[in-house]
Amino acid sequence: MTTAPNPGEPRWLTAEEQAVWRSYLHATTLLEDSLDRQLQRDAGMPHVYYGLLVKLAEAPRRRLRMTELAKDAKITRSRLSHAIARLEKNGWVRREDCPNDRRGQNACLTDRGFEVLKKAAPGHVTAVRQAVFDRLSPEQVRQLGEITRIMAESLQPDGTDADLPWLR
């Protein structure tokens, strides 16, 4: 389908846009599956758990408020709570009450969790390199960064009334 001739009708994707969109969906689905399988095989965790451990490792004193972690990970608070419960069961993370907010909690990366992350990181970075960066020229890497930044900026509105996963 092509561009809508009449106002109010959808602006259909051009043939080229449709091909790019489908290629993007295909590539991102395959990439997420590949990274998830690699981490499950080598570290016994899904990709989303690895991302949570990384965010905690990079945080001051290896701890973040649960609401901030949900925002950083771009997931619902419910999904985060479930993931943190699993990570706690493994001894990789613990929850602590927030000292300045009785209703809030922090997620804290344990020493054991940090060691698991350190062991998983080399295999993960190799998988990311092989799947993405080793296949692109430096100019393509720069363009990919620019494109994804523009997409993310337009999809993450400011404001407390925005329908974003970490606000649900």
Side-chain angles (χ1 to χ4, degrees):
M1 300 197 149
T2 59
T3 307
N6 299 322
E9 285 189 25
R11 255 184 76 222
W12 298 107
L13 300 179
T14 66
E16 180 181 19
E17 290 168 336
Q18 186 68 251
V20 168
W21 173 242
R22 289 180 181 181
S23 177
Y24 170 82
L25 288 177
H26 187 71
T28 57
T29 300
L30 289 173
L31 177 61
E32 184 61 33
D33 179 64
S34 175
L35 296 176
D36 201 56
R37 281 184 290 113
Q38 178 272 318
L39 283 164
Q40 287 283 7
R41 181 186 65 239
D42 297 348
M45 75 177 88
H47 191 220
V48 69
Y49 290 12
Y50 180 86
L52 294 172
L53 296 180
V54 167
K55 296 207 178 294
L56 290 172
E58 293 173 344
R61 297 179 23 234
R62 298 193 316 211
R63 64 182 30 86
L64 279 173
R65 273 186 70 112
M66 293 283 284
T67 52
E68 192 64 28
L69 185 55
K71 181 180 177 182
D72 287 352
K74 310 291 185 257
I75 60 176
T76 64
R77 290 178 283 193
S78 172
R79 185 173 181 202
L80 175 65
S81 185
H82 177 74
I84 293 298
R86 294 291 301 266
L87 293 169
E88 281 181 301
K89 188 176 177 182
N90 290 342
W92 300 348
V93 170
R94 73 176 178 281
R95 292 181 214 221
E96 294 177 349
D97 291 332
C98 278
N100 55 353
D101 179 0
R102 284 186 268 151
R103 294 180 305 152
Q105 284 194 313
N106 289 326
C108 307
L109 183 64
T110 64
D111 290 341
R112 183 174 173 195
F114 189 69
E115 288 305 314
V116 167
L117 181 61
K118 280 179 24 180
K119 287 180 184 172
H124 181 65
V125 75
T126 296
V128 169
R129 266 199 181 288
Q130 289 173 345
V132 180
F133 296 103
D134 289 350
R135 299 171 185 272
L136 301 177
S137 70
E139 177 61 17
Q140 289 171 319
V141 170
R142 188 194 62 70
Q143 289 171 342
L144 179 62
E146 184 178 331
I147 290 165
T148 55
R149 272 189 298 281
I150 290 168
M151 290 172 62
E153 286 170 5
S154 72
L155 292 169
Q156 187 168 312
D158 292 332
T160 56
D161 61 338
D163 184 22
L164 299 168
W166 53 92
L167 298 177
R168 288 184 225 139

